[in-house]
């Protein structure tokens, strides 16, 4: 029974982060679609590319989260009952779950990326599909590295 409370708290943290990440991703997609619809000549060539932007942004955020030191339980919980807290010494393990697994896991989307690539290939848009693969993969890795380096400068 002692393991049930931490598990439930971890699951709640992941769930809270996932809801926020999914809502953010939906909002970005909606705004991108509205922008393309409002000015198809100016933004039509970017249709579908918002997923790459989301994946690259999420990679940057996750890189920073991964590089943030884990706050020691004694530092993170000192005088506080809330284990979601963030201190100057780093992120609590539960906060890393909320932000990394929860938020970034639902904000970024490999499945949509994959469907976009297959759709463009099936339409004969090979150059667009291959450039999309390169932008997502190289851009994501560079963004994750940048997030890690930036976080290491602060800690």
């Amino acid at each position: 029974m002692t393991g049930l409370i931490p598990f439930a708290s971890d699951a709640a943290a992941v769930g809270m982060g996932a809801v926020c990440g999914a809502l953010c991703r939906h909002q970005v997609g909606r705004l991108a679609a509205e922008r393309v619809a409002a000015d198809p000549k100016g933004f039509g060539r970017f249709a579908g590319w918002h997923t790459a932007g989301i994946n690259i942004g999420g990679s940057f955020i996750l890189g920073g989260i991964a590089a943030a030191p884990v706050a020691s339980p004694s530092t993170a919980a000192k005088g506080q009952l809330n284990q979601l807290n963030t201190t100057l010494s780093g992120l609590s393990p539960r906060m890393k779950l909320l932000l990394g697994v929860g938020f970034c896991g639902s904000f970024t989307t490999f499945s949509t990326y994959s469907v976009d690539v297959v759709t463009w290939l099936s339409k004969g848009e090979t150059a667009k599909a291959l450039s999309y693969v390169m932008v997502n993969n190289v851009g994501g890795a560079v963004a994750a590295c940048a997030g890690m380096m930036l976080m290491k400068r602060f800690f």
Side-chain angles (χ1 to χ4, degrees):
M1 193 70 170
T2 58
L4 186 60
I5 299 299
F7 173 77
S9 296
D10 288 348
V14 170
M16 288 183 341
V19 167
C20 293
L23 290 172
C24 286
R25 183 178 78 195
H26 171 71
Q27 189 68 3
V28 169
R30 188 182 66 74
L31 291 171
E34 286 176 2
R35 181 63 59 116
V36 169
D39 185 6
K41 286 187 178 189
F43 294 104
R45 65 183 175 275
F46 298 114
W49 281 83
H50 68 280
T51 301
I54 287 169
N55 288 341
I56 291 167
S59 295
F60 176 80
I61 294 167
L62 188 57
I65 293 164
V70 176
S72 68
S74 60
T75 304
K78 191 180 253 180
Q80 299 178 22
L81 296 176
N82 180 1
Q83 291 194 17
L84 286 177
N85 64 317
T86 302
T87 67
L88 292 176
S89 64
L91 298 174
S92 70
R94 193 155 292 135
M95 182 57 81
K96 282 191 168 216
L97 282 174
L98 185 148
L99 295 172
V101 176
F103 181 84
C104 289
S106 67
F107 181 63
T108 60
T109 173
F110 187 79
S111 56
T112 301
Y113 155 74
S114 300
V115 168
D116 289 344
V117 170
V118 171
T119 299
W120 287 331
L121 288 172
S122 69
K123 290 179 177 179
E125 299 179 53
T126 306
K128 186 175 184 179
L130 293 177
S131 62
Y132 189 68
V133 168
M134 291 299 297
V135 166
N136 267 281
N137 290 311
V138 174
V142 169
C145 181
M148 290 175 146
M149 290 181 354
L150 184 64
M151 185 60 70
K152 287 179 180 181
R153 290 194 71 155
F154 288 106
F155 289 97

